[in-house]
Amino acid sequence: MASSAVSKLNNLSSWVVMSTVHDPEIRRRNARIRMAASSNSGSGEVAVAFEEGQLERPKWTGETPLSRLVGAIISFKPLYSVLKLGARQVLISTAEKTSIPWREMTKEVLESDVYEEMESIEDRSIVYPDYYLNPFHAYDEGNLSWLAAAEAEAATMSMVRRAIPYASSLDEANQIVRGNWLQEIESHHQKHSGNSSIRDIIDIGCSVGVSTRFLADKFPSANITGLDLSPYFLAVAQFKEKRSIQRKDPIKWIHGNGENTGLPSKSFDLVSIAYVFHECPERAIKNIVKEAFRLLRPGGTFAVTDNSPKSKILQELSPVLFTLMKSTEPFLDEYYLTDLEGTLREIGFVNVQTVMTDPRHRTVTATVPY
């Protein structure tokens, strides 16, 4: 029976990957994306208009009948266990069929000296929020495990390839996903922050430092801080950074809670949050936004990139895919129901702007008024 379940999961993951690769509509969309990205490279702004769906958010989120049905399926524990394993199989298969060596990368971290970083990273006085102790991404311990930390970078690479499945390489996909995100941040700051430069950046929810390193490369003269609640993720981030090309100003890694960082007020010019909010309940999202407002100097920029509720691709996901996705993301409904732009304005941000920066993700930028 166990072997039968594994066989079915393998068939499921193969079907998901192959349907993504061969779907004619996805092929046409990505051909348009690649042509547009190529023609607008170096233009200094996000000039590609990615396709939005007709709804405010996917039907499989919130309080819709479809969402409640999916929730009931996930709440059935025996089925949840199968879905969780299936979601994991899909992630790994997608990665390895797009030349991302998931298992090899994971093994390299787990068999390294990364464990020695924990002592200098972990703040044992931290009390974890209740929501953070939930299982995430098919890990029973959520983000508080070495396996989750070891697999995080490969999972991030896989996310980028899924966003742009017909990119010829990971680098090409990153040029769209990461490049458009960074360009939107820079454009917003130049437009709304006068002549103020970006000197100090904090990446809240930095995970293993992938987004943090992109920020450091984009703004090489800035002081960069990566903050995360998982000491395991931060240990991997610090370990990888020590093994990379040495920066003039090394990234500072802080084990902390984005809702209450304890850092000085008005000490940053940019607060960035990348692919974090879809893992948070609404109350945490609002608390992090308040903390970002406190941390930013007048004229500072706040930037969030994450799943776009209006993404046509996300709105049209197959039942198999959105059920697998929701089985590993316990707060996805709350994220999609949160009025992020309204929350930013309510807290005091101005110049709130939302742009689709790739077919699946939006970047929301805002300014702290002078």
Side-chain angles (χ1 to χ4, degrees):
M1 187 170 181
S3 61
S4 174
V6 170
S7 175
K8 289 178 180 178
L9 286 171
N10 287 332
N11 291 337
L12 172 62
S13 63
S14 297
W15 176 83
V16 169
V17 173
M18 296 307 293
S19 64
T20 300
V21 170
H22 293 295
D23 185 285
E25 178 58 25
I26 291 176
R27 291 169 66 101
R28 286 193 293 271
R29 286 178 189 166
N30 282 280
R32 292 196 297 270
I33 290 164
R34 291 177 66 181
M35 289 175 63
S38 175
S39 64
N40 288 292
S41 61
S43 65
E45 60 182 32
V46 179
V48 184
F50 296 104
E51 197 168 5
E52 294 186 352
Q54 297 180 354
L55 307 174
E56 284 300 307
R57 64 185 64 87
K59 287 182 179 179
W60 43 265
T61 64
E63 297 299 324
T64 64
L66 180 57
S67 179
R68 288 195 290 270
L69 175 61
V70 173
I73 292 171
I74 294 169
S75 66
F76 183 57
K77 288 188 176 181
L79 187 54
Y80 167 74
S81 298
V82 173
L83 288 170
K84 182 177 67 173
L85 183 57
R88 179 173 170 76
Q89 287 290 107
V90 167
L91 282 172
I92 296 173
S93 296
T94 302
E96 295 191 335
K97 288 182 180 180
T98 53
S99 302
I100 297 168
W102 182 297
R103 292 177 177 86
E104 183 180 326
M105 291 175 68
T106 301
K107 182 180 179 182
E108 182 180 353
V109 173
L110 292 176
E111 294 182 356
S112 72
D113 297 327
V114 67
Y115 310 98
E116 297 174 7
E117 306 294 336
M118 181 65 87
E119 186 176 351
S120 65
I121 282 287
E122 187 176 17
D123 180 351
R124 294 181 180 273
S125 69
I126 283 183
V127 177
Y128 294 101
D130 57 352
Y131 70 85
Y132 198 73
L133 302 176
N134 277 274
F136 282 105
H137 301 157
Y139 305 107
D140 290 338
E141 305 89 352
N143 293 333
L144 297 172
S145 75
W146 284 115
L147 181 60
E151 293 186 330
E153 186 163 7
T156 299
M157 291 176 176
S158 183
M159 176 273 292
V160 171
R161 291 307 304 264
R162 286 199 309 276
I164 316 293
Y166 255 78
S168 61
S169 65
L170 178 63
D171 284 344
E172 183 182 328
N174 270 323
Q175 286 174 15
I176 299 171
V177 175
R178 303 290 187 175
N180 287 349
W181 158 62
L182 291 168
Q183 189 59 56
E184 188 60 28
I185 291 173
E186 185 177 53
S187 298
H188 185 98
H189 194 81
Q190 289 175 346
K191 182 177 180 180
H192 298 292
S193 300
N195 295 321
S196 66
S197 60
I198 296 179
R199 295 168 293 158
D200 298 286
I201 299 171
I202 185 167
D203 186 21
I204 294 178
C206 67
S207 183
V208 295
V210 176
S211 57
T212 324
R213 293 193 294 271
F214 273 103
L215 288 164
D217 292 341
K218 178 68 175 179
F219 303 101
S221 62
N223 299 307
I224 313 287
T225 299
L227 180 143
D228 202 273
L229 256 177
S230 172
Y232 301 90
F233 284 9
L234 291 168
V236 172
Q238 183 167 279
F239 177 75
K240 287 179 176 286
E241 186 67 12
K242 285 180 177 179
R243 297 180 67 190
S244 65
I245 298 173
Q246 294 301 304
R247 304 179 193 277
K248 180 182 176 182
D249 297 306
I251 296 171
K252 181 180 180 181
W253 307 103
I254 296 178
H255 183 206
N257 186 343
E259 297 180 65
N260 182 17
T261 64
L263 298 172
S265 298
K266 300 180 181 179
S267 54
F268 294 95
D269 304 295
L270 170 63
V271 173
S272 176
I273 301 178
Y275 312 109
V276 173
F277 279 172
H278 72 276
E279 296 181 2
C280 299
E282 184 179 18
R283 68 182 188 276
I285 293 173
K286 290 184 174 181
N287 287 338
I288 293 170
V289 172
K290 289 176 184 176
E291 180 69 354
F293 190 86
R294 185 188 70 82
L295 290 172
L296 282 164
R297 298 180 179 116
T301 297
F302 180 59
V304 176
T305 192
D306 214 317
N307 295 346
S308 173
K310 293 186 177 181
S311 163
K312 182 176 176 65
I313 288 177
L314 292 181
Q315 289 187 7
E316 296 178 357
L317 283 180
S318 70
V320 171
L321 281 176
F322 65 66
T323 302
L324 289 175
M325 182 187 296
K326 291 189 75 170
S327 71
T328 65
E329 302 284 4
F331 300 109
L332 204 57
D333 282 340
E334 289 196 48
Y335 166 72
Y336 278 119
L337 289 172
T338 298
D339 178 4
L340 183 55
E341 294 89 343
T343 297
L344 292 173
R345 294 187 182 96
E346 181 183 325
I347 287 168
F349 284 100
V350 296
N351 306 320
V352 179
Q353 182 177 2
T354 300
V355 174
M356 288 272 293
T357 41
D358 70 60
R360 288 173 177 254
H361 304 109
R362 62 178 175 177
T363 297
V364 183
T365 48
T367 309
V368 171
Y370 286 99

